[in-house]
Amino acid sequence: MEMNVSNDEQVVARKAGGLNPTLILPILLAIGYLIYYFVLGNPSNFKDDPRLTGMSVGFSGVETKELHPDGFMGIIYMGGPIVPILITFMIIVIVFSIERALMLNRAQGQGNLDQFVLSIRRLLNENKIDEAIEECDRQRGTVGNVIKEGLVSYKALAHDTTMNKEQKMAALNKAIEEATTLEMPMLEKNMMILSTLGTVATLVALLGTVIGMIKAFNALGSGGGTPDSAALSIGISEALINTALGIGTSAVAIIFYNYFTSKIDSMTFKIDEIAMSIQQSFAEHH
């Protein structure tokens, strides 16, 4: 009964680790829109901004086609209504990448992980189980937590007289698998957000690109044969700005997702490596 309570507490602790997307995403969305309207849309980013003379047209204070950017931030503002969404995506990628980096760094524990693996394997070869458990306590990481559960089960099964060797090996393997399952949610939490934005950011940017090109072709076909050059350039600019933001956000999300995935795979491989050593040691000494 005590073991079930302990496992339940561990599951709750691992699910609670990291940022809660339900709470943080609306906040980041609000920040994205505030940056768009009050930082990028600041009148100082435009030449002869009609808003400075008291005009008030639309939500942003003036129609976009009447603005004349004076700097990079003003140019980004001209990207249209899809830009704040893409800005939000970029902020989400940055925030959750930092969160994952901190969590995975903590999951790696203290000291060099490769040296920890070698140390545990050496102690197992010498059948020094208590010393190996102490080494796991000092490591304080995901690999150490899983291996400690395996070693504790190792000690308990070594003194168990009710099961034969095959049953003990199966129980030991199950204990390691359960410990690994408890640790994985903490490692993989919020990874889906990075994976999703790696694709969705490009699609949303494509929507902004299409909207910009529609405006450009509309300007090209208006005016009775004389295209509105200003509206045409604004439409093309809007399309390219959305494309650039979307590609940039997608690239950053994919890079961080692959980097974190490789770190998780590396830790999982080390767990499997030591787990095999534990099973071999148990089979040899018991």
Side-chain angles (χ1 to χ4, degrees), residues 63-281:
E63 292 182 350
T64 304
K65 66 180 182 180
E66 298 182 24
L67 298 177
H68 305 284
D70 183 22
F72 187 68
M73 290 193 292
I75 293 174
I76 296 178
Y77 180 82
M78 300 294 289
I82 303 298
V83 170
I85 299 176
L86 294 174
I87 291 174
T88 301
F89 285 171
M90 178 60 80
I91 296 173
I92 291 173
V93 169
I94 293 172
V95 169
F96 282 97
S97 294
I98 294 173
E99 182 260 355
R100 283 295 86 198
L102 295 175
M103 291 297 295
L104 292 178
N105 183 65
R106 189 173 70 179
Q108 282 191 306
Q110 304 293 323
N112 185 279
L113 199 53
D114 292 326
Q115 291 298 324
F116 170 74
V117 173
L118 293 175
S119 177
I120 293 296
R121 296 185 67 179
R122 176 179 57 79
L123 292 172
L124 286 171
N125 291 333
E126 298 172 1
N127 198 30
K128 297 180 179 179
I129 307 304
D130 290 330
E131 289 82 349
I133 292 176
E134 292 176 0
E135 188 73 19
C136 292
D137 289 333
R138 287 191 291 270
Q139 203 271 339
R140 296 181 181 180
T142 293
V143 178
N145 292 339
V146 173
I147 300 309
K148 180 180 178 181
E149 291 296 324
L151 293 173
V152 170
S153 298
Y154 183 113
K155 287 186 61 178
L157 291 170
H159 298 89
D160 192 308
T161 58
T162 63
M163 294 188 291
N164 57 38
K165 187 171 184 178
E166 289 74 14
Q167 291 174 326
K168 290 181 179 180
M169 290 293 293
L172 179 60
N173 185 57
K174 182 179 179 181
I176 296 173
E177 289 179 351
E178 289 179 347
T180 303
T181 302
L182 288 174
E183 291 289 335
M184 291 309 293
M186 183 190 71
L187 298 180
E188 297 178 344
K189 183 176 181 181
N190 296 330
M191 289 291 289
M192 183 60 68
I193 293 177
L194 296 178
S195 176
T196 301
L197 289 181
T199 302
V200 172
T202 304
L203 296 176
V204 174
L206 180 60
L207 175 61
T209 301
V210 171
I211 293 174
M213 293 308 297
I214 290 173
K215 292 181 179 179
F217 282 111
N218 182 63
L220 189 63
S222 65
T226 305
D228 186 342
S229 59
L232 177 62
S233 63
I234 288 175
I236 296 175
S237 176
E238 179 175 336
L240 296 177
I241 289 169
N242 283 278
T243 301
L245 287 175
I247 292 175
T249 300
S250 179
V252 173
I254 292 173
I255 289 171
F256 278 114
Y257 175 80
N258 289 333
Y259 172 71
F260 295 140
T261 299
S262 67
K263 293 191 70 173
I264 294 173
D265 290 343
S266 176
M267 282 188 276
T268 304
F269 175 78
K270 287 178 172 58
I271 290 174
D272 293 340
E273 184 180 357
I274 301 179
M276 185 175 295
S277 297
I278 292 176
Q279 293 171 348
Q280 291 174 347
S281 175

Side-chain angles (χ1 to χ4, degrees), residues 32-79:
Y33 272 87
L34 289 174
I35 290 175
Y36 177 72
Y37 286 111
F38 295 101
V39 178
L40 301 180
N42 191 293
S44 63
N45 295 326
F46 303 90
K47 300 177 182 177
D48 302 325
D49 193 335
R51 288 174 291 185
L52 298 176
T53 63
M55 288 185 62
S56 179
V57 181
F59 183 84
S60 62
V62 67
E63 292 182 350
T64 304
K65 66 180 182 180
E66 298 182 24
L67 298 177
H68 305 284
D70 183 22
F72 187 68
M73 290 193 292
I75 293 174
I76 296 178
Y77 180 82
M78 300 294 289

